[in-house]
Amino acid sequence: MKTRLLIAGGWLRRQFAWSNTRQSWQERLGFIGLVAGGAAGWYFSENWSPEQRVVLLAAWLLGLAMLLRRGLLKLFGPVFFYELLRGSRRRVHLARTVYAVILLFAVSYPFLLREELDLNDRSLQGQAEMAEFLFRVFFFLQLGLICLLTPLMVAGAISSEKEQRTLEFMLATDLRSREIILGKLAGRLANMTLFLLAGLPIIAMLQLLGGIDPGLLFVGFAATGLTFLSLAAVSIWHSAMLKRSRDAIVTTFLSAAGYIVLSSLAQLLRMTQFAQWSVTVGGKLIYGYDMIDAIGAGNIFVHIGTLEKQLLTQGSFNDVMPQLLKEYAIFHVGLTVVCLLWAMLRLRPVAIAQSSGGEVRKHRGHWFRWKRPVGARPMVWKEVFAEPRLRMHWVARIVILLLMLASFWPPVQITAEHWDSIFANLDSYFSVRDPHNSWQTYNSNAWDRYTEEMNAWTRGMSGALGTLLLLAVAVRAAGSITGERAKQTLDELLASPLDNREIIFGKWLGSVLSVRRGWIWLGLVLFIGFVSGGLNGIGVSLVILSWFIYAGFFAFVGLWFSTICRNSFRSTAATLLVSIFMLGGHWVATGLCCFLPAAAFGRMDPDEREVMQWFAALELGCTPPFVLGMAATRDLVEWQELREYQVKVVVGAILGLAVFLLGIFLSWSLLVSRFARVFGRSEHRAPERYVELQTALSTEPVESEKVDPAGEQLPPAN
């Protein structure tokens, strides 16, 4: 027993950094007292007045200030000020200006479309409704910006230090783990907050329209702040657990998107018997809908749906808003605390394991794996077989597994719903004497409905899953060259006899093939759609062909930024922003600058409407998620019964694929020349001068003929 305790104690010491100094214990006791005081105040002040709660909060903040002043509690340290100084030197003025202009356009267009939006009332109440509508537009835009930029800004805080080999020096100083984590987090949040404050004048302008409901304003800012804080905590946790910025950014996006999707799908369980299922825990009866509410407590879209339902039924959502905000705050504050504590406790052990090679693990089935020879293309072999794959934490792997299982639930549900209607008269089919009658014709209507629903699922999954794999290809390409620089292997690669085209082709092909495990998921979707009748062979071929064209182009996008950027964090961030813009973000720009002005400034004549329809069809054709979903056709009859506008959409999709295919060839030539110019490397394996010099040095010297002064030729010397 004693030996087991010693082994367990040694494991704990290896897993968690611990110090027994007097100062460390003072800080721990001060932190425990601060947390205990806050929890006790929260519990006993439930029936207090708001004024008493404000006084209690002021006392708690005073205690925190005293602990910080006496040095009994250190939160940020010098890392925070370094991050502030570093962030202030970045050129973000252009980004702030662009963000402010987008917000200004977004809140200006409702004035132009107030008749279509039924907001043309000039009374005070109408102006107040207009201000409330504009605030909702501002809220969703700011929330979307937070969800997009926070992982890009925060997820590389610790992992970038690992890539640059500077975290080891930080850990060798007197800095504690919490000072590093909280300092990095607070510095990044401060810079991000200054960026978000660019939209504050927009809120000030809305007050001129009659003001905004203070409750709505408070709830909007509280929800935005809580989402911002928890997403930043998840990002810094991934950054501390993973070694590469690319992996941290991708897993953060996957974790956030996975939770939104899974918690939204969990709301469908309310229509099943699981909602009435109950269990007794500690003498308290817990129903299934309580678990569903707990799962969706951090999903803002679930709460927005609840508020809209309350508004339609009761006419006001002021009664349920405090309770929803309380649940939302408890979820996100708890998630923030868990992520920060986990990151602070595991920072040093994980960093030591990663720096000493502890992250590399042998495959259990390596004896049964076929080792492919290098062959004539060593760069392709290196990128496809030797390069490590995307590393994810086990939490992210569980999220992806749940997403995969959830994606196959709709076909099971669709099949269960149509099972009786399709197979109910199966016995009567065998008793029918008409040889021309068949099961499909007997139940043609039920079968058509079944195939239509399966086709809808196949199209949705093809677009969503295909887009996810395209982003994975782009991110993998974004870290291919900068990863060589971080591993200090780029010099050896440039000094090799491989020419630029061989290096770029190997990187490009390795990026496209890096998601070959994801093809299994997409292949299962296409196979189920084909077997169930929701997809035919032409649709399968079109989806596969379209995906490979898009993947080839997005791989070049990632390689371009990986070539011109100096680290993986910048290249990954730039690649994701450009990829999101090309996957559908361009609709925001065209909507603000083209479609909304055309709809606002009066009616269009038939010729202008025709031009606008062709422009919209071409833009749809340049949107990969839409094309991947549209390509999943189930019957050739669909192509024969197309309407006029649908024909334009098909033509736009074909032209869009041609544009992306042309972009692959143009990107190839541009990237080869850019790679040679950035690294000062010739495109040829051996320049002409080098060949001439080698020829001159390798040629044996020819003995010159000797002539005596008399002009007679002498015999050569032995």
Side-chain angles (χ1 to χ4, degrees):
M1 185 65 181
K2 184 177 181 181
T3 305
R4 293 180 180 179
L5 291 176
L6 291 176
I7 294 175
W11 180 84
L12 289 174
R13 285 193 298 271
R14 289 192 303 269
Q15 296 296 320
F16 302 99
W18 191 264
S19 176
N20 288 320
T21 61
R22 180 179 179 182
Q23 185 178 4
S24 299
W25 279 107
Q26 288 178 351
E27 293 178 359
R28 294 184 190 119
L29 293 177
F31 177 76
I32 293 174
L34 192 66
V35 173
W42 177 276
Y43 179 77
F44 290 106
S45 63
E46 184 177 0
N47 298 324
W48 290 11
S49 63
E51 293 79 7
Q52 293 175 337
R53 292 185 178 182
V54 170
V55 173
L56 181 62
L57 178 61
W60 187 84
L61 293 176
L62 180 61
L64 175 62
M66 293 177 61
L67 291 176
L68 294 175
R69 180 67 179 83
R70 294 182 60 86
L72 298 179
L73 187 63
K74 296 180 180 179
L75 294 178
F76 305 128
V79 180
F80 171 69
F81 300 99
Y82 170 74
E83 287 293 326
L84 286 181
L85 181 62
R86 184 181 180 184
S88 63
R89 292 179 177 177
R90 294 176 179 173
R91 298 178 180 179
V92 295
H93 306 290
L94 179 61
R96 293 178 183 175
T97 303
V98 172
Y99 172 59
V101 170
I102 292 176
L103 285 178
L104 185 60
F105 269 99
V107 300
S108 298
Y109 276 117
F111 284 100
L112 302 175
L113 301 176
R114 55 183 178 269
E115 294 183 359
E116 288 79 3
L117 297 174
D118 196 15
L119 296 172
N120 201 23
D121 191 0
R122 302 291 183 176
S123 62
L124 294 178
Q125 183 178 0
Q127 292 182 1
E129 293 178 356
M130 185 69 177
E132 183 177 343
F133 177 79
L134 294 178
F135 175 75
R136 292 181 181 179
V137 174
F138 171 81
F139 168 74
F140 283 109
L141 282 177
Q142 195 172 43
L143 186 64
L145 183 71
I146 286 174
C147 296
L148 177 62
L149 295 184
T150 301
L152 297 178
M153 294 289 292
V154 183
I158 306 298
S159 55
S160 61
E161 301 287 347
K162 297 178 183 178
E163 291 179 339
Q164 298 172 5
R165 304 293 180 87
T166 55
L167 183 62
E168 301 173 0
F169 299 99
M170 296 178 65
L171 297 178
T173 62
D174 294 336
L175 293 173
R176 292 171 174 80
S177 299
R178 66 172 175 276
E179 295 182 58
I180 298 175
I181 295 294
L182 296 180
K184 287 280 187 180
L185 179 63
R188 300 295 175 98
L189 290 182
N191 293 322
M192 188 71 181
T193 303
L194 292 177
F195 181 84
L196 295 175
L197 288 179
L200 190 60
I202 307 297
I203 294 296
M205 293 172 56
L206 296 181
Q207 303 298 327
L208 301 177
L209 298 177
I212 306 172
D213 186 7
L216 181 62
L217 187 65
F218 172 76
V219 170
F221 278 106
T224 303
L226 290 171
T227 306
F228 185 29
L229 184 62
S230 62
L231 189 57
V234 173
S235 302
I236 201 73
W237 174 72
H238 279 110
S239 185
M241 295 296 105
L242 300 175
K243 190 176 183 179
R244 297 182 180 182
S245 300
R246 178 196 69 185
D247 301 345
I249 293 174
V250 172
T251 51
T252 302
F253 277 113
L254 286 177
S255 301
Y259 169 72
I260 294 296
V261 173
L262 292 175
S263 58
S264 300
L265 293 177
Q267 302 303 313
L268 300 177
L269 297 176
R270 292 180 176 275
M271 298 180 293
T272 63
Q273 297 180 355
F274 177 77
Q276 303 299 327
W277 176 78
S278 62
V279 62
T280 303
V281 178
K284 185 178 180 181
L285 193 62
I286 299 178
Y287 290 93
Y289 58 82
D290 294 329
M291 299 180 184
I292 298 174
D293 293 338
I295 295 174
N299 191 341
I300 192 170
F301 299 103
V302 173
H303 292 309
I304 291 175
T306 304
L307 292 177
E308 293 294 337
K309 182 179 179 180
Q310 182 71 14
L311 184 63
L312 292 176
T313 56
Q314 302 294 333
S316 176
F317 48 75
N318 294 327
D319 297 335
V320 298
M321 186 180 294
Q323 180 64 25
L324 294 180
L325 182 60
K326 180 180 178 181
E327 295 177 358
Y328 194 76
I330 292 175
F331 180 89
H332 284 277
V333 170
L335 180 63
T336 302
V337 172
V338 170
C339 290
L340 292 181
L341 289 178
W342 195 337
M344 288 185 289
L345 291 175
R346 293 287 296 160
L347 175 63
R348 294 179 184 272
V350 170
I352 293 173
Q354 292 173 350
S355 62
S356 61
E359 189 183 16
V360 180
R361 299 178 181 177
K362 294 183 178 180
H363 196 279
R364 294 183 179 180
H366 67 282
W367 291 106
F368 303 98
R369 295 180 64 184
W370 175 57
K371 296 183 179 180
R372 184 182 179 88
V374 177
R377 292 185 177 272
M379 198 64 199
V380 175
W381 177 87
K382 172 185 177 298
E383 293 295 325
V384 176
F385 299 101
E387 191 69 18
R389 297 185 298 269
L390 178 67
R391 297 186 180 275
M392 293 181 293
H393 199 264
W394 59 268
V395 175
R397 294 180 182 179
I398 292 177
V399 171
I400 293 178
L401 179 60
L402 293 176
L403 281 176
M404 185 175 181
L405 295 177
S407 65
F408 292 108
W409 174 251
V412 175
Q413 185 70 21
I414 293 172
T415 304
E417 291 179 356
H418 292 81
W419 183 269
D420 294 336
S421 60
I422 294 176
F423 295 97
N425 299 321
L426 187 60
D427 297 335
S428 61
Y429 160 68
F430 293 102
S431 61
V432 174
R433 297 181 180 180
D434 187 3
H436 299 287
N437 194 0
S438 62
W439 170 63
Q440 286 84 356
T441 57
Y442 196 88
N443 293 326
S444 58
N445 295 330
W447 179 257
D448 289 340
R449 290 194 300 269
Y450 174 70
T451 55
E452 288 178 0
E453 294 184 10
M454 290 299 297
N455 178 254
W457 171 78
T458 306
R459 288 186 172 184
M461 284 300 303
S462 299
L465 186 55
T467 303
L468 183 63
L469 295 179
L470 291 177
L471 287 175
V473 169
V475 171
R476 168 65 168 77
S480 57
I481 298 177
T482 53
E484 300 283 352
R485 183 184 285 111
K487 294 184 295 186
Q488 299 180 357
T489 56
L490 183 61
D491 296 336
E492 288 80 359
L493 183 62
L494 297 177
S496 65
L498 298 172
D499 59 14
N500 296 339
R501 297 180 182 274
E502 289 178 319
I503 295 175
I504 293 176
F505 178 75
K507 295 287 186 182
W508 175 81
L509 186 61
S511 301
V512 175
L513 298 180
S514 63
V515 295
R516 53 188 180 273
R517 290 191 174 183
W519 296 347
I520 300 175
W521 190 356
L522 182 59
L524 288 175
V525 172
L526 298 179
F527 176 76
I528 293 175
F530 179 77
V531 172
S532 62
L535 187 66
N536 59 5
I538 297 178
V540 174
S541 303
L542 290 177
V543 171
I544 295 175
L545 177 63
S546 303
W547 187 90
F548 274 102
I549 292 176
Y550 293 137
F553 180 80
F554 280 97
F556 276 120
V557 172
L559 285 173
W560 175 268
F561 286 107
S562 185
T563 302
I564 64 177
C565 296
R566 297 190 61 86
N567 54 56
S568 299
F569 170 71
R570 294 182 180 180
S571 63
T572 304
T575 301
L576 281 176
L577 291 177
V578 173
S579 300
I580 292 174
F581 178 80
M582 301 189 68
L583 287 171
H586 51 82
W587 282 95
V588 178
T590 56
L592 293 177
C593 302
C594 181
F595 296 113
L596 287 179
F601 293 105
R603 298 181 178 178
M604 295 180 291
D605 55 17
D607 295 335
E608 293 178 351
R609 187 179 297 275
E610 183 77 13
V611 173
M612 193 63 63
Q613 288 180 356
W614 274 109
F615 182 76
L618 291 175
E619 190 168 7
L620 280 174
C622 294
T623 306
F626 172 79
V627 177
L628 290 173
M630 188 188 69
T633 179
R634 70 185 179 97
D635 196 354
L636 292 177
V637 179
E638 294 183 2
W639 301 97
Q640 299 174 1
E641 298 179 354
L642 292 178
R643 299 180 181 178
E644 181 181 359
Y645 182 71
Q646 292 174 339
V647 172
K648 297 177 183 178
V649 173
V650 173
V651 174
I654 296 174
L655 293 177
L657 288 174
V659 169
F660 276 92
L661 187 61
L662 180 62
I664 292 177
F665 295 102
L666 293 178
S667 301
W668 169 259
S669 59
L670 292 175
L671 184 59
V672 169
S673 60
R674 183 69 177 180
F675 185 87
R677 186 165 58 253
V678 168
F679 298 106
R681 198 171 188 266
S682 174
E683 297 183 6
H684 303 283
R685 182 175 298 181
E688 296 180 359
R689 294 182 180 179
Y690 179 76
V691 174
E692 294 176 358
L693 181 61
Q694 288 293 103
T695 304
L697 293 176
S698 62
T699 305
E700 295 182 359
V702 180
E703 188 174 358
S704 60
E705 298 178 351
K706 297 183 179 181
V707 182
D708 64 349
E712 297 180 358
Q713 184 176 357
L714 298 177
N718 294 329

